[in-house]
Amino acid sequence: MRKTIIAGNWKMNTTADEASKLATEIKARLTGFNHAELLICPPYINLAQVSKVVNKSVIKIGGQNLYYEQSGAFTGEISGQMLKSVGCDYVIVGHSERRALFGETDELINRKLKAALDSELIPILCIGEQLEDREAGLTEKVLEKQLDGSLKEFPTDWMEKIVVAYEPVWAIGTGKTATPEQAEEVHRFIRDKLSQEFGGTVAEGLTILYGGSVKPDNSDSLFAEENIDGFLIGGASLKAESFERIAHSASKES
Ligand code: PEP
């Protein structure tokens, strides 16, 4: 059975007070929610306090990134074991903003995925094409390269412990969402490709999230697609009400 996940990526938003307030409101609105795994990913500096806020609730927390070493002279970096120690269960790896603004390569992302698994975190591997790639008909090629590089030397049992998020870069923070058909086509492609490499059982069990301007008014139709198993939400996760409304897409019959 694939797990449904509704995840919020707060990015570089929220001061300490704002983070506690937002987490408190999300927790209150979603008490007892059991239609999906609920995950919030605040900035590193707010993780410990948000962890206390959501303790013993249905809300899980995750990091937005990690470094591949566990400790040492790596000024400014955070390791998997540090994330785990403040209560994280998940970590986002290879977000398009990390790739585009901080030069993350598939090779680096591969090391980070392995480090996350070593720390018993569930990594959410982000992949997605740029607008030029899509317009040039290169979407599948780009995704294939990202998957091959990021998942290099991955044994099958590791694949059972990760989540993939398809996030077309042209849809992130732009208000332009992929149509449900466009997203479904790519999710199917990802599942088929991984099925060829890791087998049908692993691929069918893999949770594949969609991300890119998910809002309460488009989440129902996206979630209704067979291969969309939840969302990675940026902007709309910063308002408790919209996060709650999007989460409720997972509670509706499709
Ligand atoms: C994201 O940050 O992963 C994202 C999808 O952002 P937004 O929902 O704002 O497009």
Side-chain angles (χ1 to χ4, degrees), residues 9 11 92 95-97 126 167 171-175 210-215 232-237:
N9 173 13
K11 309 194 187 190
I92 299 170
H95 189 278
S96 67
E97 286 152 15
C126 301
E167 299 207 297
I172 297 181
T174 57
Y210 169 77
S213 298
V214 175
K215 306 273 182 269
L232 182 54
I233 312 156
S237 72

Side-chain angles (χ1 to χ4, degrees), residues 51-62:
S51 176
K52 285 189 189 132
V53 172
V54 300
N55 186 30
K56 298 201 176 109
S57 78
V58 293
I59 321 273
K60 305 248 189 247
I61 60 164

